[in-house]
Amino acid sequence: MRLEHEFTVPAPVGTVWTALVDPERVAPCMPGATLTGVDGEKFTGTVKVRLGPITLMYKGSGEFLETDEDSRRMVMKASGKDVRGNGTAAATVTAVLSEVDGGTRCEVVTDLSITGRPAQFGRGLIAEVGGKIIDQFADCLASGLGTEEAGGDTAPEAPEDTAVSQQHLRAVPDQAEEVEAIDLLGTAGVPVLKRALPLVLGLAVVALVVSRLRRHR
């Protein structure tokens, strides 16, 4: 499916571009994400997703296919698989920056493919949740760049559990479990929750049955 989003950051386009093409600077702003390694244009990481009573952990990798500074256009491809084999996710993201009213507009187009439980949300719900996650990301990025413009830290402050050495590739597999998962239903809000209620109830029943079976064994 194709998703389109747009957000504005109150920072110069050059500053936003530098941050956007640096995984170590943007990863702390992406809900549920942990960057586990960077090697040139390629990177690895994990994303934790909570769907009602179910928590999924995706492990995957990505790379920058295009970073054209002159046109401020970036193309990135990433894919991951749930560690329990419950589904996959793959996306090609194209972002184009432009200057507007002293700030920067970022237009994002995502070609997304999902299998497994999250796919049951359907296109409409996924687009709505995706838009709100993008908003959270934009707010975090704007806050970090605002600090930088004011002469503070040069990047958004990242929790220790998402830190990655800037000097070399370093794996931090244990830290991924400490990152708070993206709460898809909480992010969606009450209106979306009502539409997704049958799915939530179904997952809750499944979780309850599995729990009782485990206790019985």
Side-chain angles (χ1 to χ4, degrees), residues 103-160:
T104 300
R105 175 189 291 123
C106 184
E107 300 173 75
V108 182
V109 176
T110 305
D111 290 317
L112 179 66
S113 175
I114 300 177
T115 66
R117 289 192 179 99
Q120 298 178 50
F121 270 94
R123 177 186 173 85
L125 295 185
I126 290 176
E128 191 166 348
V129 172
K132 293 187 177 183
I133 291 174
I134 288 290
D135 288 341
Q136 293 176 25
F137 169 80
D139 289 343
C140 176
L141 186 63
S143 176
L145 293 177
T147 301
E148 178 181 340
E149 288 295 302
D153 295 335
T154 58
E157 183 177 342
E160 290 183 2

Side-chain angles (χ1 to χ4, degrees), residues 50-91:
R50 189 164 75 249
L51 184 61
I54 307 298
T55 298
L56 307 175
M57 169 75 81
Y58 290 86
K59 286 188 177 182
S61 61
E63 64 177 313
F64 289 100
L65 302 180
E66 179 183 336
T67 52
D68 188 338
E69 186 171 2
D70 291 335
S71 62
R72 309 293 189 189
R73 184 175 186 271
M74 178 273 290
V75 180
M76 179 187 70
K77 184 176 183 179
S79 62
K81 183 177 182 180
D82 174 48
V83 295
R84 295 173 183 169
N86 292 321
T88 62

Side-chain angles (χ1 to χ4, degrees), residues 183-200:
D183 184 355
L184 293 186
L185 297 181
T187 299
V190 176
V192 176
L193 178 58
K194 290 180 179 179
R195 281 180 280 162
L197 189 57
L199 171 61
V200 178

